[in-house]
């Protein structure tokens, strides 16, 4: 009886130890919203510094997300969540997809999509842990509504 009880507790301990890693990979989570009401990991967007701004633009006949390359140096910035400002300056509705899926395919991969009306601005809050779980140092952004539009890359210096 004592050996069975000990084996049961040991098995339960092993199961709990295995699931704690699963929860750690899903810590945080990407949040979207406006500057006044949005928050990520308990911190309001309005209290965070905008780390990068992205703009949907029309240059001639080409629709692009500008800038084509954005660099965030995590060696020099505080450990606060990352706040991205996304604005549609084009005349049509555009999507903004930020994903690390090109580097990995785990269920916890960084992947967010928003749709912006002309002139609309939204904010995306990202816990630094979600960015660091992304394999490699490059995350791509593009318009998920229009595959022909030009996207860009977010380079993370870790």
């Amino acid at each position: 009886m004592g050996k069975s009880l000990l084996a049961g507790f040991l098995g339960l301990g092993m199961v709990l130890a295995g699931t704690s890693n699963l929860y750690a990979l899903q810590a945080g989570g990407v949040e979207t919203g406006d500057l006044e009401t949005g928050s990520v990991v308990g911190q309001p967007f309005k209290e965070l510094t905008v780390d990068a701004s992205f703009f949907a633009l029309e240059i001639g006949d080409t629709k692009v997300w500008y800038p084509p390359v954005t660099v965030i140096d995590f060696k020099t910035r505080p450990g606060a969540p990352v706040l991205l400002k996304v604005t549609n300056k084009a005349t049509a509705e555009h999507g903004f997809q930020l994903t690390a899926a090109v580097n990995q395919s785990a269920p916890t991969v960084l992947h967010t999509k928003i749709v912006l009306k002309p002139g609309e601005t939204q904010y995306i809050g990202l816990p630094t842990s979600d960015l660091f779980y992304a394999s490699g140092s490059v995350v791509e952004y593009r318009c998920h509504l229009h595959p022909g539009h030009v996207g860009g890359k977010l380079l993370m210096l870790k």
Side-chain angles (χ1 to χ4, degrees):
M1 174 79 172
K3 289 182 183 181
S4 298
L5 190 58
L6 180 62
F9 282 126
L10 183 59
L12 180 62
M14 291 177 68
V15 167
L16 291 176
T19 59
S20 65
N21 290 336
L22 177 66
Y23 293 127
L25 287 174
Q26 297 179 10
V30 177
E31 296 292 331
T32 61
D34 63 24
L35 189 61
E36 293 303 314
T37 61
S39 68
V40 61
V41 215
Q43 291 187 294
F45 286 169
K46 61 186 173 187
E47 293 179 7
L48 298 171
T49 302
V50 174
D51 293 290
S53 295
F54 303 98
F55 304 93
L57 302 173
E58 296 173 0
I59 302 173
D61 291 336
T62 306
K63 278 100 175 146
V64 300
W65 275 104
Y66 181 84
V69 177
T70 302
V71 178
I72 298 178
D73 186 357
F74 286 97
K75 296 176 185 173
T76 60
R77 72 179 292 282
V82 173
L83 185 62
L84 306 176
K85 180 181 178 182
V86 183
T87 303
N88 182 1
K89 293 193 174 245
T91 58
E93 190 174 77
H94 287 285
F96 183 82
Q97 176 183 23
L98 181 71
T99 183
V102 294
N103 299 331
Q104 64 188 44
S105 60
T108 56
V109 67
L110 172 66
H111 189 93
T112 187
K113 292 180 183 181
I114 58 174
V115 176
L116 298 139
K117 296 177 180 138
E120 183 179 15
T121 297
Q122 287 194 27
Y123 293 82
I124 301 173
L126 299 144
T128 53
S129 60
D130 287 15
L131 285 170
F132 288 166
Y133 287 137
S135 280
S137 298
V138 178
V139 179
E140 292 187 357
Y141 50 92
R142 64 183 187 88
C143 177
H144 63 280
L145 299 178
H146 309 101
H149 294 180
V150 179
K153 297 185 186 298
L154 173 66
L155 175 64
M156 302 175 290
L157 302 177
K158 301 178 189 178

